[in-house]
Structure formats: structure tokens, C-alpha cells
């Protein structure tokens, strides 16, 4: 079994000091500190649009391709909040890599920084396409801005870590979520080139949170019943806010649906 555990789980050494930004990533349940791996599997340094490391021959099958209309937007972008059905809609694969996509990426980074985020997925700004951006530093001009188009997870680490997460689509709501400590990802960059990237610690957690959004999975679905109960009233308040703002019935209710921990995305290899 040990041989099956991904090697990037093996070495933890450098303390990362964080402020409570988008994920409120400032503590573990165990009160230990968050570390970055300093092993050979440490994520490569990337430029703003994540340069391709090597070509991948396989293509994603079965996903509907986004049209020009699906990628049309008006600036400035706005954050979509729970329980808006946009957060549950199917997200289409991007096949056009042009100036409009680059502009969308720029706008996503802009609103992410303005709302004190460290990660953002396209459905969170009303765009149902497979696109995410993140920067674990949470500050423009600091850290590394990463863009992933049509991402897929090729491997998860078997080491699970609990941590206090938040989400821009759930303002001021936080709760512990267990996620694999490392992931290996296949994706395309802003120019459409395919590449593979390994992520660990904070970048891996940010990626998995945003990747869940691309699957229509929300972070409270990965919480234990105990943690979910602690934020239930806050979720109900957001549902009431949606009804008051739109005049429509809430598309989902935390009190009328049986919530199970989401199974999507945590397969182990």
C-alpha cells in the first residue's frame, strides 16, 4: 500500500504563514501548522498563464464544447452566491483560446483580488465553463498566478488533511473540510497547450476547491455532519437572501435535502 501513495506526500518542511483570506486557511483541527513540500515534487514555478511542461496526447471526451455565447461576458464580473443554480450547472469544455479568454482570465484575477480571494472558478462569476484561476499568495504582484483550462485530476494523494475553508460564494462562512494533501493535474494553458502539474499543500487545496466548483460540487458537501450543522443557519440565511433578491423560490434547501459527503474527485490511484 505504501508504494501506491503518491511520492509528493512524503516531505514537509517549510512553514507557510497565512492570513485568513478566501479559504481562511489558518489552522488545522489538530492545531498544527501548514507546510509546503520541499521534495522534488514541489510545484514548478509558473508564469501568469501557466506554461506547458509537456504535451499530453489524450483529449477529454464527452464534455460539451463551449460556444462563443458561453464565453461572452461583461466587466466587471460579479461573484455568484449560493444557492444560485449557476453553481450547480454543467460546465462546458473550452475549445477557443483567444483574446476574449485572456480578458476573462484577467477579469477573474481582478475580482479575486478585490474580494480577498486566493482562488476562483468560472461558474462563481456566472460563466459555466471549465476554467479556474488562483494565486496562493492572495496579493497582486506576489506569489504565482496560475490558470487552468479544462483541468482533470490524474492522481490524488492518500494523505487527507482537514482544514478550515471558506468560499467567495459563501461570504463569511467557514468550516473544516478534509482533502488529499497532493494532486497531479492535466490541463491546458491560456494558449491551449496541454501540460501536467503537481500541486501540494495550499495550492493543492485551492485547486481541489475550485475543481469541485467545475463539477457542481460545493464545499459544504465535503463537511462532516457535525461541521455542516454548525453552519446550517448561515446557509439558510443565504437561501433567504436569494429569495428576497430574485423573487424566486430557492433552488435548493439545506434543510430539505439529505446532504452526503460528495464522492466526486477523491478517487485514489
Amino acid at each position: 500500500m505504501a508504494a501506491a501513495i503518491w511520492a509528493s506526500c512524503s516531505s514537509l518542511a517549510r512553514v507557510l504563514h497565512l492570513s485568513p483570506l478566501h479559504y481562511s486557511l489558518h489552522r488545522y483541527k489538530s492545531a498544527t501548522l501548514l507546510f509546503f513540500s520541499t521534495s522534488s515534487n514541489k510545484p514548478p514555478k509558473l508564469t501568469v498563464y501557466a506554461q506547458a511542461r509537456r504535451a499530453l496526447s489524450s483529449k477529454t471526451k464527452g464534455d460539451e464544447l463551449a460556444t462563443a455565447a458561453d464565453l461572452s461576458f461583461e466587466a466587471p464580473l460579479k461573484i455568484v452566491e449560493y444557492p444560485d443554480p449557476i453553481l450547480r450547472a454543467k460546465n462546458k469544455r473550452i475549445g477557443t483560446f483567444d483574446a476574449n479568454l485572456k480578458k476573462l482570465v484577467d477579469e477573474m484575477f481582478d475580482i479575486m483580488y478585490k474580494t480577498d480571494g486566493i482562488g476562483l472558478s468560472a461558474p462563481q462569476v456566472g460563466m459555466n465553463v471549465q476554467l479556474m484561476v488562483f494565486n496562493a499568495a492572495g496579493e497582486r504582484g506576489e506569489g504565482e498566478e496560475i490558470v487552468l483550462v479544462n483541468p482533470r485530476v490524474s492522481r490524488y494523494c492518500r494523505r487527507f488533511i482537514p482544514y478550515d475553508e471558506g468560499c467567495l460564494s459563501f461570504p463569511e462562512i467557514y468550516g473544516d473540510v478534509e482533502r488529499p494533501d497532493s494532486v497531479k493535474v492535466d490541463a491546458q494553458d491560456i494558449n491551449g497547450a496541454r501540460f501536467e502539474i503537481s500541486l501540494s499543500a495550499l495550492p493543492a487545496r485551492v485547486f481541489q476547491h475550485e475543481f469541485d466548483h467545475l463539477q457542481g460540487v460545493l464545499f459544504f458537501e465535503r463537511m462532516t455532519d457535525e461541521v455542516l450543522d454548525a453552519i446550517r443557519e448561515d446557509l439558510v440565511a443565504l437561501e433567504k437572501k436569494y429569495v428576497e433578491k430574485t423573487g424566486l423560490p430557492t433552488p435548493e434547501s439545506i434543510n430539505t435535502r439529505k446532504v452526503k459527503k460528495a464522492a466526486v474527485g477523491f478517487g485514489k490511484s
Side-chain angles (χ1 to χ4, degrees):
M1 178 177 292
I5 299 176
W6 190 23
S8 61
C9 301
S10 63
S11 178
L12 298 173
R14 183 165 62 86
V15 177
L16 175 66
H17 300 284
L18 299 172
S19 58
L21 297 171
H22 170 18
Y23 286 93
S24 186
L25 290 171
H26 54 280
R27 66 177 179 84
Y28 285 131
K29 281 181 180 177
S30 60
T32 58
L33 293 172
L34 176 65
F35 294 90
F36 262 123
S37 170
T38 57
S39 71
S40 59
N41 293 292
K42 182 179 178 181
K45 285 193 173 295
L46 304 173
T47 60
V48 142
Y49 293 127
Q51 296 302 307
R53 196 154 60 87
R54 67 176 179 85
L56 299 176
S57 59
S58 61
K59 291 186 177 181
T60 303
K61 297 180 180 179
D63 290 329
E64 185 178 353
L65 199 63
T67 65
D70 294 320
L71 289 163
S72 176
F73 67 95
E74 292 184 6
L77 298 174
K78 296 180 180 179
I79 299 294
V80 173
E81 294 184 2
Y82 170 85
D84 195 301
I86 289 174
L87 297 175
R88 297 295 195 179
K90 183 178 177 64
N91 294 296
K92 298 179 182 180
R93 181 168 57 89
I94 294 173
T96 302
F97 299 82
D98 57 9
N100 180 70
L101 182 61
K102 291 181 172 65
K103 176 63 174 175
L104 174 58
V105 165
D106 289 340
E107 291 293 331
M108 288 177 66
F109 272 121
D110 188 54
I111 190 172
M112 185 191 80
Y113 290 128
K114 286 180 178 178
T115 52
D116 291 332
I118 59 175
L120 188 65
S121 66
Q124 288 181 278
V125 291
M127 309 288 293
N128 285 123
V129 294
Q130 296 179 23
L131 170 67
M132 71 170 73
V133 303
F134 61 93
N135 178 358
E139 295 288 341
R140 190 185 299 276
E142 298 182 16
E144 295 171 307
E145 293 183 334
I146 298 177
V147 178
L148 299 178
V149 184
N150 303 326
R152 290 291 181 270
V153 177
S154 61
R155 188 175 300 178
Y156 285 96
C157 170
R158 296 196 181 194
R159 174 188 171 94
F160 276 63
I161 302 293
Y163 214 78
D164 200 28
E165 287 187 16
C167 179
L168 293 179
S169 294
F170 295 77
E172 305 304 318
I173 297 178
Y174 306 96
D176 278 346
V177 178
E178 285 194 352
R179 296 190 188 273
D181 189 47
S182 304
V183 291
K184 182 178 284 187
V185 180
D186 297 337
Q188 289 172 274
D189 68 14
I190 196 69
N191 297 309
R194 291 185 169 272
F195 69 100
E196 188 176 78
I197 184 173
S198 297
L199 300 169
S200 61
L202 178 58
R205 178 166 292 269
V206 178
F207 165 80
Q208 289 173 81
H209 182 108
E210 305 310 336
F211 185 72
D212 272 354
H213 275 299
L214 299 187
Q215 314 307 306
V217 174
L218 303 177
F219 78 140
F220 69 78
E221 295 174 279
R222 295 205 182 277
M223 296 176 183
T224 64
D225 291 341
E226 180 182 10
V227 175
L228 182 58
D229 284 341
I231 66 167
R232 188 177 298 274
E233 290 185 5
D234 295 322
L235 296 177
V236 171
L238 282 181
E239 294 165 3
K240 291 180 178 178
K241 178 182 176 181
Y242 175 86
V243 172
E244 293 170 356
K245 181 179 179 180
T246 66
L248 301 171
T250 181
E252 63 180 281
S253 171
I254 194 64
N255 286 333
T256 59
R257 63 189 289 263
K258 184 176 179 62
V259 177
K260 296 180 180 179
K261 293 188 73 175
V264 175
F266 281 0
K268 299 170 185 176
S269 59

